[in-house]
């Protein structure tokens, strides 16, 4: 899951250390509906998976993102 | 054209740029006709400067526009400047993947923005120019565009409406030069007004400021200077005057 932390830090422009917290969309300045799309595409590319529309809509906290990815890998 | 000889119709004059321009141009000896959909803001403007003529008018309603503009030309001679400033800024991605089951850009939001920002400018200019030509008045139409006209992510409707405003500006410059009427657009970047603070969250605005080489939002006075230049310089025509501190989207 080191890989996902790098994606979160890069896409959401937060210090790497903070990726270890369970942050949500409201906690991260750069996390809006537009950057969410960048995040989803980065995750799909990095893990070679295809997320469903419901997954994408629910992945609004770091914990939810990790739980969703673990369903696929 | 000298400001003392200017008889200026300003839309959206109840607040922000519109109000500031109304008060400034009036203080410089111009006659100002302030239009806004919001009657309360117009009453406040009138209290601040009794010489400004105020009219409640929804620019997105062609009936309203024709009535007010025709009345203005019937009752006042020498009207020679229109500042199409009324506008609304609304944001939405084309598809919001977070909204389930349907994340598509709202049709109502699209219609609302186009109706005010694009059709409003068209309705106003159409009535204004018709009266100008009948009276043989020479002058200038100034349209308030935005840096978003070049395409700002998250602003499909707003960007489209402002791109249309710039296109209309260029068309009118070509069509109306023969009547001695110029057409100019002003395209501000991120400026320090209530509208900006209402439409953009602070973090979003901070992001844009950090991308602006001058590292600040623009001041309302700087928009006034741009409009003053557009009124006073009689050879300035068909151009979009960018005012963005060096920001490129
Ligand atoms: N503020 C900025 O940073 C910025 C940047 C670029 C472009 N602009 C453009 O400048 C113009 C003025 O912006 P502002 O920040 O002063 O806005 P604002 O919200 O402060 O004021 C707009 C005024 O227009 C009026 N209005 C809204 N809909 C109307 C309608 N249908 N009919 C008549 N009046 C109506 C409002 O009542 C208000 O008084 C707008 O066209 C906007 O798109 C603003």
């Amino acid at each position: 899951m080191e890989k996902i932390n790098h994606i979160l830090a890069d896409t959401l422009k937060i210090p790497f250390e903070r990726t270890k917290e369970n942050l949500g969309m409201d906690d991260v300045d750069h996390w809006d509906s537009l950057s969410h799309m960048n995040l989803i595409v980065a995750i799909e590319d990095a893990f070679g998976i295809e997320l469903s529309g419901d997954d994408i809509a629910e992945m609004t906290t770091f914990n939810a993102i990790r739980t969703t990815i673990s369903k696929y890998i | 054209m000298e400001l003392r000889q200017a008889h200026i119709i300003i839309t959206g004059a109840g607040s922000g740029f519109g109000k500031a321009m109304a008060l400034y141009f009036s203080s410089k000896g111009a006659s100002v006709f302030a239009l806004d959909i919001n009657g309360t803001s117009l009453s406040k403007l009138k209290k601040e400067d009794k010489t400004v003529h105020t009219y409640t008018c929804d620019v997105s309603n062609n009936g309203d526009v024709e009535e007010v503009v025709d009345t203005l030309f019937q009752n006042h001679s020498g009207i020679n400047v229109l500042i199409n400033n009324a506008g609304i800024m609304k944001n939405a991605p084309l598809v919001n993947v977070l909204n389930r089951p349907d994340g598509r850009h709202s049709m109502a939001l699209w219609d609302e923005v186009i109706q005010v920002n694009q059709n409003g400018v068209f309705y106003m200019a159409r009535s204004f120019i018709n009266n100008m030509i009948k009276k043989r008045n020479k002058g200038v139409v100034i349209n308030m565009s935005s840096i978003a006209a070049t395409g700002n992510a998250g602003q499909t409707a707003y960007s489209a409406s402002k791109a249309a405003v710039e296109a209309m500006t260029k068309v009118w410059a070509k069509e109306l030069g023969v009547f001695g009427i110029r057409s100019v657009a002003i395209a501000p970047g991120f400026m320090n007004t209530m509208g900006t603070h209402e439409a953009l969250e602070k973090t979003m605005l901070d992001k844009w400021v950090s991308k602006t080489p001058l590292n600040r939002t623009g001041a309302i006075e700087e928009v006034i200077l741009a409009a003053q230049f557009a009124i006073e310089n009689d050879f300035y025509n068909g151009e979009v005057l960018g005012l963005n501190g060096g920001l490129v989207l």
Side-chain angles (χ1 to χ4, degrees), chain A residues 25 29 33 36 53-54 57 60, chain B residues 93 96-98 100 203-204 207:
Chain A
M25 285 191 79
D29 288 351
S33 56
H36 193 66
D54 286 338
T60 55
Chain B
N96 187 338
V97 291
L98 291 164
R100 301 286 291 166
T203 51
M204 200 53 156
K207 187 186 94 177

Side-chain angles (χ1 to χ4, degrees), chain B residues 104-183:
Chain B
R104 289 175 298 174
H105 190 298
S106 143
M107 293 288 241
L109 188 113
W110 167 266
D111 288 342
E112 186 190 357
V113 173
I114 297 295
Q115 194 57 33
V116 178
N117 294 5
Q118 181 174 331
N119 294 350
V121 168
F122 171 67
Y123 299 154
M124 280 298 303
R126 174 176 174 269
S127 267
F128 174 82
I129 295 298
N130 190 41
N131 280 288
M132 290 280 284
I133 293 174
K134 274 191 205 153
K135 302 251 178 191
R136 302 288 186 273
N137 291 1
K138 298 181 183 354
V140 59
V141 177
I142 301 173
N143 295 321
M144 205 53 78
S145 179
S146 160
I147 192 171
T150 58
N152 192 20
Q155 291 191 323
T156 297
Y158 186 73
S159 297
S161 70
K162 293 302 188 183
V165 163
E166 291 189 5
M168 290 190 279
T169 303
K170 287 169 193 288
V171 172
W172 299 337
K174 289 171 187 162
E175 283 185 12
L176 304 174
V178 66
F179 301 110
I181 300 171
R182 296 180 292 116
S183 166

Side-chain angles (χ1 to χ4, degrees), chain B residues 20-41:
Chain B
M21 288 189 285
L23 291 172
Y24 176 79
F25 291 139
S26 170
S27 78
K28 293 290 169 198
S31 319
V32 173
F33 305 93
L35 277 50
D36 203 287
I37 195 172
N38 186 331
T40 315
S41 345

